[in-house]
Amino acid sequence: RPGARAVRASLLLSPVMAAYPDDSFPYQGLLPKKETGAASFLSRYPEYDGRGILIAILDTGVDPGAQGLQVTSDGKPKIIDIIDTTGSGDVNTSTILKPKDGKITGISGRTLKIPENWINPSENYHVGLKNGYEIFPKTLRERIQKEKREKVWDPVHRNCLAEACRKLDEFDSTHTSLSQAEKIEREELQTQVEMLNSMEKKYCDSGPSYDCLVWHDGETWRACVDTSELGDLSNCSVLRNYSVAQEYASLGLSEMLNYSINVYDEGNTLCIVASGGAHGTHVASIAAGFFPDDPERNGVAPGAQILAVKIGDTRLSTMETGTGLIRAMIETIKYKCDLVNYSYGEATHWPNAGCICEVINDAVLKHNVIYVSSAGNNGPCLSTVGCPGGTTSSVIGVGAYVSPDMMVSEYSLREKLPANQYTWSSRGPCADGALGVSISAPGGAIASVPNWTLRGTQLMNGTSMSSPNACGGIALLLSGLKANGIGYSVHFIRRALENTAMKIEDIEVFAQGHGIIQVDKAYEYLVQNSFMPTRNLGFNVFVGNQRGIYLRDLHNQTSPSDHGVAIEPVFPEHAVNSERISLQLHIALTCNASWINCPSHLELMNQCRHINIRVNPSGLPEGVHFTEVCGYDTTAPDAGPLFRLPITITVPLRVHETTGYEIVHSDVHFKPGQITRHFLEVPCGATWAEVTISSLSSDVSSKFVLHAVQLEKQKAYRTNEFYKFISLLEKGSCSEAFPVLHGKTLEFCIARWWASLGDVSVKYTISFHGILCTPSQLHINAADGITRFDVLSTMKYEEVAPLISLKCWIQSLRPISAKTRPLGPRDTLPNNRQFYEIILMYSFHQTKNGEVTVSCPLLCELLYESEYDSQLWMLFDQNKKLMGSGDAYPHQYALKLDKGDYTIRLQVRHEQLSELERLKDLPIIVSHRIPNSLNLDVYDNHGNALIGKKKSNTLTLPSGCTQPFFVTSLPDDKIPKGAGPGCFLSGTLTLAKSELGKKAGQAASKRQGKFKKDMVSVQYHLIPSPNKQKNGNKDKEKDVEKEKDVKDEFADALRDLKIQWMAKLDENVFYEELKESYPTHLPLYVARLHQLDNEKERMKRMDAIVEAADDVISRIDQTALAINLAMKTDPRPEAATVKSDMERQKSSLIDALCRKGCALADTILQYHSQDGATSEEVDSTGDDTKDSVANLSATFWEILKWTELTDSKVLTFAYKHALVNKMHGRALKFAIKLLEDKPNKENWKNCIQVMKLLGWRHCASFTESSLSIMFPQEYAPF
């Protein structure tokens, strides 16, 4: 019934219709501005939206075609220039050509047609070549490779494979009993199927290769990139330097990768600038995006302009380099930028030092550039701030904050949580006591990303996002100040930010710094205090060489300690001397902590003054304690502190033997984002800790971070760090282990993930274990035979099962050349501070396919803190193809290499040439991974080790008990091929039997997986391999042989010398002379054959080659040779000499047969084709050619009597024989084997030609397009 149906329908719809959606959307949470006061500031001062401010975005590059990055709010170009400072986009265009008939042959070999409308008065074109994948971001490269395979390769290849299989099936169905010829025919069909399957597995897309042209039109430099890859330049974009007219183009409709260009070195270097990742565009959009039709999507400062500087090197997966950073600061100063945003950073071994940090400090202090940087994403433990954001005095480090509106809009959480700091946001203090985090800002946004991502916007979070949010807020301040003619200094701005920031309750100072940036309040502060005499002053506050007081270990807290503090005013670079003379500040010093005793006042003039502060930590409870000594101007106390001295004390808990070295927390309640920190004094003798965490909640699953850090002097926090993100199910549990350093304070942090909803209760236990090895690092010399080490259980009963595993072998290299030179204008700082480079070249042979890691021990693991501004290595194959690159962190850049010869080029840069000269003999190491780890035999007593019996098993050691162990040498046949004296094997010694103990022994550090800490590292030093007797019983042979007369020896030596020089002199004089004197000497006729076969006019002497080969063959008694080789044993005393002679005869016979066969095959191929690599039908050939074919066939079967066709000596003949007989599948098989043995261009061309003969044009096309990439003319530039 209709009515019934309506009732049922309404019943079905009613639950859906009950909650009608809200038609509004919380846009304010997508790119937060309300929380920082930026929204209220803009509503009050809409014209102070960043206008007149230039922000340098130092990042992965910015896409000029991304949404919101075209113009500013007042109609100016949003991006004034786009610069790649890394060198990854550089193209060597030093080759100069003039067109002939309007055409140029590009480096790729393509013909490039010059459009008639191009203006080039000199007619000089600088040409170069760029592999597209060198500038593609990794995700784009993977997408294009996938699309290309699915759309271009797979359909054609599947068809070819199906056709080949069909032919094979048809042959098998029509042939049962096969003749010899039919067997070869079937082998040909089978080989075609195998080759197609092999090419499917080995498919490799080397990427596009772009010919590049650079020329001067009489006014400016122009460039064109042949994105068509066809030489059709009329359809390619012609660009000028981006700064001239903001021109850019796209590499293609599929790629959607926008690029711009810059020309350097008078046209000899073209830089193709493309974003290396989405990160930089997202950052720029947060800071200054402008959407005139959708203002809710605007960045924080839509009126600001951007200088886009790419410092993330595409060759290194967008890792920053010293070269990129120093060049970036040169450009920042050149363009007179007001602000820098730097959403990058790394852990540093020592803060506030190094070449890069010095250049940053100079830009800030001498050029008034405000440098804003991310604090790092390495929390929640303390002292995890990165460099430069959290460790450099002149940089404003920004932490990441998440607001309730962000939780709803960006993350779509089911419920709003209280405002919090992200769990991963790095925390201070810095290792030298500085606070580390200056301010905080929203650390997430949905903002624009590059077009190549095929999306308009994307959610990203990190201090990378909080930094541009704060940077945009500062741009608003500067815009207002400039509009009102109010001068400022970096010190004035920083003081305003820190003194007006909003502190959030329940967020510790180490996470949020001085609080969340408040743009409106900071602007009021700046205006109100703009006339203060101290407004532009800065202050250096040091405790020795530290920037704060940080007492972390218990031995520093046993009694009160006095600390001398130096306070010095810092004037702006261009301050007049009268200001310095007139400075007289009356400072009030305050501190709110009872455990600090400091002076109450300080009179400060233009001089460094010293005060003394007493710290008395006695009675402080376990945990972290923080306070500041603040200095106020007594004439303006409401302006807030002029300077601050941070003081941090972590009071650790002692872990006693009475508790079994365990700490148990039975019922701990965690809310979302809640963090519990434990500071523990690691017991003496402890080497690892185990933690077990169990959920007590039956209805809530939750996410936790387990994080532990110990600090050592002049070592980054990552050196002794453990990090684990875990998902804890209802009533679930998890156990982890990590190494520890005894006597050092350990911070162990359990943090509930900020977005993990619901409350949960957990139980956790932290226990310490100790097994010590003496020596602490094991060095084994193979010559020792047996090496001893002792194991001590330090704390409790422990099960010990020593295992030594060798995982790689290390090869040390010295440079084969070293060249220094001054760099160009791109690398010159203000005041003509010139940088120099040294390029060191190394070579090594890879004995088999494998994985290698290159590192420079003197310089690696140092970036910001390094005294050298940059290090970069590039590894090339024997054809100069770039295989990979690496920098300061070698473990990120493992390369898989095929067997062959390789060259490494290492660039190091410094301001002083003399410092580079010291590196002329700098060694580097190549670490070769051993596919299957090698284990050394371990015994528990010397006697068993000596006779190799009864290896050590599990032992239980009581506390304080020591057990010696003995390691024997590795058998010689286990030594990896290629390793020898001067090399060593590297690995680890694990002592504990328990799985957790083993896990701690090889604990991977942190989420990046960059660093590994092995509790006991092992180095096994190699010695020369044993001598092998090549000629058997030589002494017996000497007794049989009659001693030669000295004159006979001289005559033989003279004969052999003349034979060696026959080919070099290219004359018959020696041959005729020697033939008459030594008519039966086989090596003479072999040398004559080689001489003829290697001549330049070889094709004209085929008959002579065949005749010479027959001459060699006729002089070998093949019957005697076969009989001798078939003998299993030869009792004659001269057996070894005879065997050696027979092997030489066999080799000469095979060589002669192959050369004869190749000559015959070339004669036939030449007859049918001038190309020399194709074969036509031979049915209508002449008698001579038919004789050659018959002779060739006979030679083929003769060769098969003595060796296989896959023998490397026979491959060339096998390839040519297959070509003559139109067996192209076999020809391709042998051509590929030749290529594996000698990967040169000629062999690749042979493969391509055979692919075309087979009709596999897709294979030929892919391979042909890769030739220019596989065989570059020069090494890629740094």
Side-chain angles (χ1 to χ4, degrees):
R1 296 190 307 270
R5 284 198 298 271
V7 170
R8 284 196 296 271
S10 66
L11 288 172
L12 289 170
L13 288 172
S14 59
V16 178
M17 300 300 294
Y20 190 80
D22 187 357
D23 60 357
S24 63
F25 189 88
Y27 291 101
Q28 70 277 5
L30 296 179
L31 202 161
K33 308 180 196 72
K34 183 179 72 172
E35 295 86 341
T36 62
S40 61
F41 178 85
L42 286 169
S43 64
R44 187 175 176 186
Y45 306 110
E47 293 187 356
Y48 301 168
D49 62 352
R51 296 176 200 186
I53 303 304
L54 179 58
I55 305 174
I57 302 290
L58 277 52
D59 217 286
T60 61
V62 178
D63 181 359
Q67 299 176 9
L69 295 177
Q70 283 68 54
V71 296
T72 65
S73 57
D74 56 350
K76 295 178 181 177
K78 172 60 69 175
I79 305 173
I80 67 165
D81 202 356
I82 306 175
I83 304 167
D84 181 353
T85 58
T86 66
S88 60
D90 285 5
V91 186
N92 181 353
T93 52
S94 58
T95 301
I96 300 176
L97 300 175
K98 288 183 181 288
K100 293 180 180 178
D101 301 324
K103 295 177 181 178
I104 282 178
T105 301
I107 301 295
S108 69
R110 302 186 196 105
T111 299
L112 310 176
K113 186 176 181 181
I114 307 297
E116 293 180 359
N117 61 344
W118 284 11
I119 300 172
N120 183 357
S122 69
E123 295 189 349
N124 287 333
Y125 286 92
H126 295 251
V127 296
L129 186 75
K130 189 66 173 176
N131 178 359
Y133 283 172
E134 290 180 6
I135 55 176
F136 280 25
K138 182 182 178 182
T139 51
L140 172 62
R141 183 176 71 247
E142 290 170 349
R143 172 169 70 81
I144 294 299
Q145 285 175 328
K146 182 173 181 288
E147 290 178 1
K148 202 170 178 181
R149 178 162 191 165
E150 291 175 351
K151 296 177 182 179
V152 180
W153 171 274
D154 283 348
V156 183
H157 195 77
R158 290 188 190 117
N159 188 51
C160 290
L161 181 59
E163 182 63 25
C165 291
R166 194 177 299 115
K167 288 179 180 178
L168 180 60
D169 290 342
E170 288 174 359
F171 183 91
D172 288 340
S173 64
T174 55
H175 297 75
T176 51
S177 180
L178 302 180
S179 65
Q180 190 65 44
E182 287 172 335
K183 286 180 180 178
I184 293 179
E185 185 180 351
R186 188 189 184 283
E187 184 186 342
E188 163 66 15
L189 296 173
Q190 179 67 39
T191 302
Q192 290 186 23
V193 173
E194 290 173 358
M195 286 293 97
L196 286 167
N197 283 322
S198 174
M199 282 186 278
E200 174 72 13
K201 291 176 183 177
K202 295 180 179 179
Y203 170 85
C204 179
D205 177 11
S206 298
S209 56
Y210 301 131
D211 279 296
C212 304
L213 283 81
V214 175
W215 70 97
H216 200 280
D217 66 0
E219 294 181 1
T220 187
W221 287 101
R222 294 181 182 267
C224 179
V225 179
D226 179 19
T227 53
S228 72
E229 296 185 82
L230 299 171
D232 183 13
L233 302 182
S234 60
N235 291 321
C236 300
S237 299
V238 175
L239 302 177
R240 291 169 285 180
N241 285 2
Y242 187 86
S243 60
V244 175
Q246 285 73 52
E247 296 171 341
Y248 65 92
S250 174
L251 288 175
L253 294 176
S254 296
E255 294 84 356
M256 296 298 289
L257 178 63
N258 291 322
Y259 71 96
S260 58
I261 65 101
N262 286 304
V263 179
Y264 302 104
D265 306 329
E266 294 300 312
N268 291 325
T269 300
L270 169 67
C271 185
I272 302 174
V273 190
S275 63
H279 191 271
T281 302
H282 195 270
V283 163
S285 182
I286 293 171
F290 174 60
F291 296 83
D293 300 325
D294 195 0
E296 289 173 323
R297 293 179 58 192
N298 281 351
V300 179
Q305 290 184 291
I306 288 171
L307 173 67
V309 185
K310 178 181 176 182
I311 54 87
D313 196 315
T314 309
R315 296 167 294 191
L316 306 176
S317 301
T318 68
M319 179 72 183
E320 73 269 41
T321 63
T323 297
L325 285 167
I326 288 179
R327 283 178 175 175
M329 295 315 300
I330 291 170
E331 297 294 341
T332 298
I333 295 168
K334 169 186 165 185
Y335 277 93
K336 299 181 179 178
C337 294
D338 302 285
L339 282 157
V340 168
N341 182 84
Y342 187 62
S343 292
Y344 263 74
E346 300 291 333
T348 182
H349 291 292
W350 44 88
N352 209 36
C355 180
I356 295 170
C357 293
E358 179 191 334
V359 172
I360 291 172
N361 287 337
D362 281 353
V364 172
L365 300 176
K366 296 181 179 179
H367 300 274
N368 209 33
V369 178
I370 299 171
Y371 201 111
V372 185
S373 180
S374 52
N377 303 327
N378 299 300
C381 268
L382 304 186
S383 301
T384 52
V385 284
C387 182
T391 64
T392 307
S393 296
S394 60
V395 176
I396 298 173
V398 186
Y401 157 89
V402 57
S403 70
D405 283 348
M406 293 167 65
M407 297 175 190
V408 173
S409 302
E410 295 179 25
Y411 298 98
S412 302
L413 294 189
R414 298 195 310 270
E415 58 186 82
K416 277 189 178 183
L417 299 172
N420 205 343
Q421 207 78 357
Y422 284 96
T423 310
W424 37 256
S425 185
S426 288
R427 271 70 172 172
C430 186
D432 69 350
L435 183 56
V437 180
S438 176
I439 55 174
S440 285
I446 293 178
S448 299
V449 288
N451 293 343
W452 56 260
T453 64
L454 304 186
R455 57 176 73 97
T457 60
Q458 184 177 330
L459 169 63
M460 292 188 190
N461 51 222
T463 52
S464 287
M465 282 64 248
S466 62
S467 180
N469 193 302
C471 188
I474 298 170
L476 301 181
L477 299 178
L478 302 188
S479 183
L481 294 177
K482 284 191 175 184
N484 289 283
I486 299 174
Y488 65 88
S489 69
V490 290
H491 310 294
F492 190 26
I493 298 297
R494 181 168 190 153
R495 201 153 46 238
L497 295 172
E498 294 180 349
N499 288 347
T500 61
M502 178 178 66
K503 287 184 168 58
I504 306 295
E505 290 186 13
D506 300 325
I507 300 180
E508 58 200 351
V509 65
F510 305 113
Q512 67 174 322
H514 297 285
I516 312 304
I517 180 176
Q518 298 298 297
V519 175
D520 47 358
K521 293 180 180 177
Y523 183 70
E524 291 174 7
Y525 179 99
L526 291 165
V527 173
Q528 290 172 6
N529 295 285
S530 60
F531 298 103
M532 285 183 58
T534 58
R535 66 187 183 280
N536 290 328
L537 276 182
F539 296 87
N540 285 333
V541 182
F542 283 97
V543 184
N545 59 357
Q546 311 290 302
R547 292 174 296 157
I549 298 173
Y550 190 10
L551 305 182
R552 186 175 170 99
D553 295 321
L554 200 59
H555 65 83
N556 293 324
Q557 304 166 18
T558 54
S559 60
S561 55
D562 291 343
H563 303 267
V565 181
I567 304 166
E568 182 179 19
V570 178
F571 288 86
E573 177 71 8
H574 302 294
V576 296
N577 288 336
S578 58
E579 292 180 34
R580 304 174 194 274
I581 294 170
S582 62
L583 179 67
Q584 204 74 27
L585 291 178
H586 314 296
I587 305 294
L589 301 172
T590 66
C591 183
N592 59 7
S594 60
W595 40 277
I596 296 296
N597 188 2
C598 67
S600 59
H601 293 89
L602 170 69
E603 186 74 1
L604 189 62
M605 63 293 297
N606 183 24
Q607 179 186 5
C608 181
R609 298 293 313 278
H610 294 81
I611 63 172
N612 187 275
I613 291 178
R614 170 161 289 197
V615 180
N616 185 4
S618 304
L620 290 177
E622 183 229 337
V624 60
H625 306 271
F626 176 80
T627 189
E628 291 178 315
V629 174
C630 298
Y632 292 83
D633 184 350
T634 54
T635 63
D638 293 339
L642 291 176
F643 58 82
R644 307 166 190 259
L645 174 70
I647 304 173
T648 307
I649 297 181
T650 58
V651 180
L653 175 71
R654 288 184 182 272
V655 183
H656 297 285
E657 184 180 2
T658 54
T659 62
Y661 299 108
E662 283 189 353
I663 299 169
V664 179
H665 293 269
S666 56
D667 190 0
V668 183
H669 190 71
F670 280 91
K671 294 182 178 180
Q674 184 174 328
I675 298 172
T676 297
R677 303 182 188 278
H678 294 283
F679 295 92
L680 308 171
E681 185 186 31
V682 176
C684 182
T687 54
W688 85 91
E690 296 178 2
V691 58
T692 299
I693 179 170
S694 305
S695 172
L696 303 178
S697 301
S698 58
D699 58 344
V700 179
S701 63
S702 53
K703 296 175 181 177
F704 281 87
V705 169
L706 307 180
H707 198 189
V709 166
Q710 286 183 284
L711 298 185
E712 288 185 274
K713 283 186 177 180
Q714 296 199 16
K715 285 190 178 180
Y717 65 82
R718 67 186 175 217
T719 309
N720 302 293
E721 180 190 31
F722 165 77
Y723 180 96
K724 186 71 176 180
F725 181 87
I726 62 171
S727 293
L728 204 58
L729 300 176
E730 301 88 339
K731 293 290 185 178
S733 65
C734 176
S735 295
E736 295 291 338
F738 52 91
V740 295
L741 300 171
H742 66 82
K744 289 282 183 183
T745 295
L746 167 73
E747 179 189 359
F748 182 74
C749 186
I750 300 181
R752 182 83 185 282
W753 192 248
W754 71 271
S756 184
L757 300 178
D759 293 358
V760 66
S761 294
V762 300
K763 172 186 177 181
Y764 56 90
T765 303
I766 307 167
S767 61
F768 291 94
H769 300 258
I771 301 178
L772 284 178
C773 176
T774 305
S776 58
Q777 308 298 324
L778 200 55
H779 289 264
I780 302 172
N781 192 316
D784 293 339
I786 296 175
T787 302
R788 170 176 171 155
F789 65 92
D790 295 282
V791 175
L792 168 67
S793 175
T794 57
M795 304 175 71
K796 57 181 81 170
Y797 279 92
E798 297 287 359
E799 285 191 310
V800 176
L803 174 65
I804 296 177
S805 181
L806 303 174
K807 300 168 186 175
C808 57
W809 66 274
I810 311 298
Q811 180 180 17
S812 300
L813 303 176
R814 286 281 193 178
I816 56 175
S817 71
K819 294 181 180 179
T820 56
R821 72 179 182 99
L823 296 167
R826 293 168 84 182
D827 301 288
T828 304
L829 285 163
N831 297 326
N832 291 323
R833 290 173 57 188
Q834 176 71 61
F835 277 92
Y836 297 82
E837 72 170 6
I838 185 170
I839 295 180
L840 302 153
M841 289 187 67
Y842 308 80
S843 63
F844 70 98
H845 180 72
Q846 181 79 1
T847 54
K848 61 180 181 178
N849 297 356
E851 183 178 288
V852 304
T853 302
V854 179
S855 65
C856 177
L858 181 70
L859 303 175
C860 72
E861 307 298 342
L862 301 175
L863 180 58
Y864 294 94
E865 66 269 48
S866 176
E867 293 303 316
Y868 290 91
D869 87 301
S870 180
Q871 54 178 302
L872 178 68
W873 58 260
M874 303 173 80
L875 190 147
F876 301 88
D877 69 6
Q878 62 195 34
N879 300 312
K880 299 183 179 179
K881 178 187 176 184
L882 177 63
M883 307 302 295
S885 307
D887 69 337
Y889 303 111
H891 298 294
Q892 295 185 32
Y893 308 110
L895 300 175
K896 291 182 179 179
L897 301 179
D898 294 334
K899 176 183 175 182
D901 295 316
Y902 293 91
T903 298
I904 299 168
R905 302 183 81 223
L906 171 65
Q907 181 202 48
V908 185
R909 297 161 33 115
H910 197 275
E911 200 174 345
Q912 298 296 327
L913 183 59
S914 59
E915 296 299 324
L916 296 176
E917 295 285 350
R918 295 173 58 236
L919 304 181
K920 281 192 172 181
D921 296 313
L922 178 69
I924 65 169
I925 62 173
V926 179
S927 174
H928 302 258
R929 184 172 172 270
I930 301 173
N932 298 310
S933 297
L934 301 173
N935 294 335
L936 295 180
D937 293 336
V938 181
Y939 302 85
D940 54 19
N941 69 69
H942 191 278
N944 287 344
L946 197 59
I947 59 176
K949 291 186 177 179
K950 198 178 179 182
K951 298 175 189 175
S952 174
N953 291 318
T954 302
L955 295 175
T956 301
L957 293 181
S959 174
C961 182
T962 300
Q963 171 66 41
F965 290 94
F966 302 87
V967 188
T968 56
S969 297
L970 199 65
D972 290 305
D973 61 349
K974 296 288 186 182
I975 303 297
K977 188 177 180 182
C983 302
F984 64 88
L985 309 183
S986 176
T988 59
L989 165 61
T990 55
L991 298 170
K993 182 188 178 183
S994 69
E995 289 303 315
L996 284 176
K998 292 177 183 177
K999 198 173 183 179
Q1002 297 177 338
S1005 172
K1006 204 71 168 83
R1007 57 211 101 178
Q1008 300 120 322
K1010 290 187 209 171
F1011 307 95
K1012 272 197 166 183
K1013 178 180 176 62
D1014 300 308
M1015 289 171 68
V1016 181
S1017 66
V1018 177
Q1019 290 187 5
Y1020 183 94
H1021 299 271
L1022 298 174
I1023 57 175
S1025 56
N1027 296 320
K1028 295 181 180 178
Q1029 290 187 349
K1030 295 181 180 179
N1031 298 320
N1033 300 326
K1034 226 171 181 181
D1035 294 336
K1036 292 182 180 178
E1037 293 170 23
K1038 285 183 179 179
D1039 294 339
V1040 175
E1041 285 185 5
K1042 294 180 179 179
E1043 291 188 10
K1044 287 185 177 180
D1045 185 81
V1046 175
K1047 291 182 179 179
D1048 291 340
E1049 287 186 6
F1050 172 73
D1052 289 349
L1054 186 60
R1055 174 199 66 195
D1056 294 341
L1057 182 63
K1058 288 180 177 180
I1059 290 173
Q1060 289 177 17
W1061 277 85
M1062 272 173 53
K1064 296 179 183 178
L1065 293 176
D1066 198 22
E1067 294 178 4
N1068 295 331
V1069 180
F1070 282 165
Y1071 174 66
E1072 296 299 336
E1073 174 193 326
L1074 292 169
K1075 183 179 178 182
E1076 185 176 341
S1077 303
Y1078 303 95
T1080 61
H1081 189 59
L1082 182 63
L1084 171 63
Y1085 300 96
V1086 172
R1088 175 60 175 167
L1089 173 59
H1090 288 191
Q1091 180 187 16
L1092 293 171
D1093 202 25
N1094 292 328
E1095 287 182 354
K1096 294 178 182 178
E1097 297 183 350
R1098 172 180 176 274
M1099 294 302 292
K1100 295 180 180 179
R1101 302 189 181 186
M1102 291 302 181
D1103 292 341
I1105 293 171
V1106 172
E1107 184 181 342
D1110 285 336
D1111 200 3
V1112 172
I1113 294 166
S1114 66
R1115 295 176 186 280
I1116 298 173
D1117 187 343
Q1118 296 186 37
T1119 303
L1121 177 62
I1123 292 171
N1124 189 276
L1125 293 175
M1127 292 176 64
K1128 290 186 177 180
T1129 57
D1130 187 350
R1132 291 175 294 178
E1134 70 274 15
T1137 302
V1138 172
K1139 183 179 179 182
S1140 177
D1141 182 55
M1142 289 294 138
E1143 289 292 345
R1144 281 195 294 270
Q1145 287 192 44
K1146 179 185 174 183
S1147 178
S1148 297
L1149 176 62
I1150 293 171
D1151 177 71
L1153 287 168
C1154 288
R1155 290 178 185 271
K1156 175 183 177 181
C1158 287
L1160 292 168
D1162 286 337
T1163 301
I1164 298 166
L1165 292 169
Q1166 185 186 31
Y1167 181 85
H1168 293 289
S1169 172
Q1170 294 302 314
D1171 184 54
T1174 63
S1175 174
E1176 305 294 340
E1177 296 294 333
V1178 295
D1179 296 336
S1180 59
T1181 59
D1183 292 338
D1184 290 343
T1185 306
K1186 287 182 178 179
D1187 290 342
S1188 296
V1189 172
N1191 201 353
L1192 175 65
S1193 180
T1195 305
F1196 173 78
W1197 294 111
E1198 194 67 26
I1199 287 173
L1200 284 181
K1201 291 179 184 178
W1202 299 100
T1203 187
E1204 300 287 338
L1205 291 178
T1206 52
D1207 185 337
S1208 60
K1209 298 175 184 176
V1210 184
L1211 284 174
T1212 303
F1213 166 75
Y1215 160 70
K1216 292 182 178 181
H1217 174 267
L1219 272 184
V1220 168
N1221 289 277
K1222 305 188 300 295
M1223 294 183 179
H1224 300 131
R1226 285 159 56 91
L1228 181 59
K1229 176 183 175 180
F1230 296 130
I1232 289 175
K1233 285 190 175 294
L1234 277 169
L1235 189 64
E1236 291 171 355
D1237 188 53
K1238 194 174 182 181
N1240 57 29
K1241 200 168 188 176
E1242 181 184 352
N1243 285 338
W1244 272 111
K1245 287 182 175 179
N1246 289 340
C1247 290
I1248 292 168
Q1249 197 70 8
V1250 179
M1251 290 173 187
K1252 289 178 179 178
L1253 291 169
L1254 283 162
W1256 302 345
R1257 298 213 165 257
H1258 67 295
C1259 300
S1261 175
F1262 265 75
T1263 308
E1264 203 163 21
S1265 66
S1266 301
L1267 285 181
S1268 58
I1269 295 171
M1270 291 190 288
F1271 298 93
Q1273 293 184 352
E1274 301 290 341
Y1275 290 115
F1278 283 98

